[in-house]
Amino acid sequence: MRVLVGGGTGFIGTALTQLLNARGHEVTLVSRKPGPGRITWDELAASGLPSCDAAVNLAGENILNPLRRWNETFQKEVIGSRLETTQLLAKAITKAPQPPKAWVLVTGVAYYQPSLTAEYDEDSPGGDFDFFSNLVTKWEAAARLPGDSTRQVVVRSGILTHALEANHVHGVLNGVAPSSATNAEFAQTLGAALGRRAFIPLPSAVVQAVFGRQRAIMLLEGQKVIPQRTLATGYQYSFPELGAALKEIVA
């Protein structure tokens, strides 16, 4: 396939581009800066969607950038970088003489309310209780296309190529591992993979001081999200358990 990737120069975008190329797909990036194999957002707005079989949007300001204060200015950048790029791509797809077969938007599990006990699947309610959940609601709404000529998928963070290549996949997928872990469990498991002990906790006050109260919730509380529909589509995880995944990474 010819795949157009918005925001493809970031952490996930770089890995996705490498994976798509390895699987024989042709990738064009949409970026702020021109370059080989790229078009700019301004060029997309002026000239419309280049010919492609699928489009993905990963663009968005890094919410957890510790160098940026969580103030009104930065909040507007976080919102604008997601909504504007998504709206631009959705508009270009709608106007394209030959629209792509698939349109995948990657959002986040912040759609669901932070909880230490509740479990959420793709059909669970959310999107209406704080800054981040409202952002995901607006973000996903900005991506909706009229009609059904293009298959539309929203991945709430993680599995991308499956959504692109599996023609039977529609709607929302939770792109998370089938087994979840708290930060403490993650630290202990990582310590075991490294052959070291993990015993020094990070005080919550420090996290709140660095990131601000709203962003700190993402690190201190979070959500237990289950990929029920993702598994039902036939997606198979290479490393469904955290321990095996970390051992592979540090090997």
Side-chain angles (χ1 to χ4, degrees):
M1 294 188 295
R2 295 163 298 172
V3 183
L4 185 70
V5 180
T9 57
F11 178 74
I12 295 177
T14 299
L16 174 63
T17 298
Q18 293 173 348
L19 180 59
L20 289 172
N21 285 328
R23 294 171 75 92
H25 302 303
E26 178 185 329
V27 180
T28 299
L29 304 182
V30 189
S31 175
R32 287 174 291 183
K33 299 179 180 179
R38 300 185 187 184
I39 64 170
T40 65
W41 291 102
D42 289 339
E43 288 172 337
L44 177 68
S47 303
L49 195 77
S51 181
C52 61
D53 301 299
V56 184
N57 194 25
L58 300 166
E61 184 72 34
N62 179 11
I63 291 174
L64 292 176
N65 184 348
L67 302 179
R68 298 294 304 274
R69 288 186 59 205
W70 189 243
N71 53 27
E72 185 177 352
T73 298
F74 186 50
Q75 289 177 18
K76 288 181 179 179
E77 289 181 26
V78 166
I79 295 171
S81 63
R82 286 159 173 76
L83 299 190
E84 290 170 10
T85 57
T86 300
Q87 290 168 344
L88 183 55
L89 274 166
K91 183 178 180 180
I93 290 170
T94 301
K95 291 186 173 182
Q98 292 184 321
K101 298 175 182 177
W103 163 223
V104 179
L105 175 70
V106 181
T107 61
V109 294
Y111 176 84
Y112 310 105
Q113 186 169 8
S115 172
L116 298 177
T117 56
E119 291 187 358
Y120 304 105
D121 63 22
E122 291 87 346
D123 295 320
S124 298
D128 59 358
F129 56 88
D130 66 5
F131 174 88
F132 295 109
S133 64
N134 278 284
L135 170 58
V136 175
T137 296
K138 294 175 183 177
W139 196 0
E140 294 179 359
R144 293 193 190 109
L145 306 176
D148 56 4
S149 59
T150 296
R151 183 170 54 87
Q152 302 176 55
V153 183
V154 171
V155 179
R156 290 184 182 141
S157 206
I159 43 174
L160 304 168
T161 55
H162 177 66
L164 288 171
E165 296 174 339
N167 293 329
H168 65 287
V169 175
H170 296 262
V172 176
L173 299 180
N174 286 335
V176 297
S179 60
S180 60
T182 65
N183 193 53
E185 292 168 342
F186 181 90
Q188 291 170 356
T189 307
L190 177 58
L194 294 170
R196 304 172 186 171
R197 294 183 63 190
F199 56 90
I200 302 177
L202 179 64
S204 61
V206 174
V207 179
Q208 291 179 354
V210 173
F211 294 104
R213 180 177 295 180
Q214 283 185 314
R215 288 190 294 177
I217 290 175
M218 301 174 71
L219 300 174
L220 298 176
E221 297 183 34
Q223 304 89 348
K224 186 174 183 180
V225 179
I226 308 301
Q228 182 171 306
R229 291 192 70 239
T230 303
L231 291 168
T233 65
Y235 184 80
Q236 296 183 352
Y237 289 80
S238 300
F239 299 96
E241 300 295 330
L242 177 62
L246 290 177
K247 286 179 182 178
E248 172 70 15
I249 291 171
V250 303

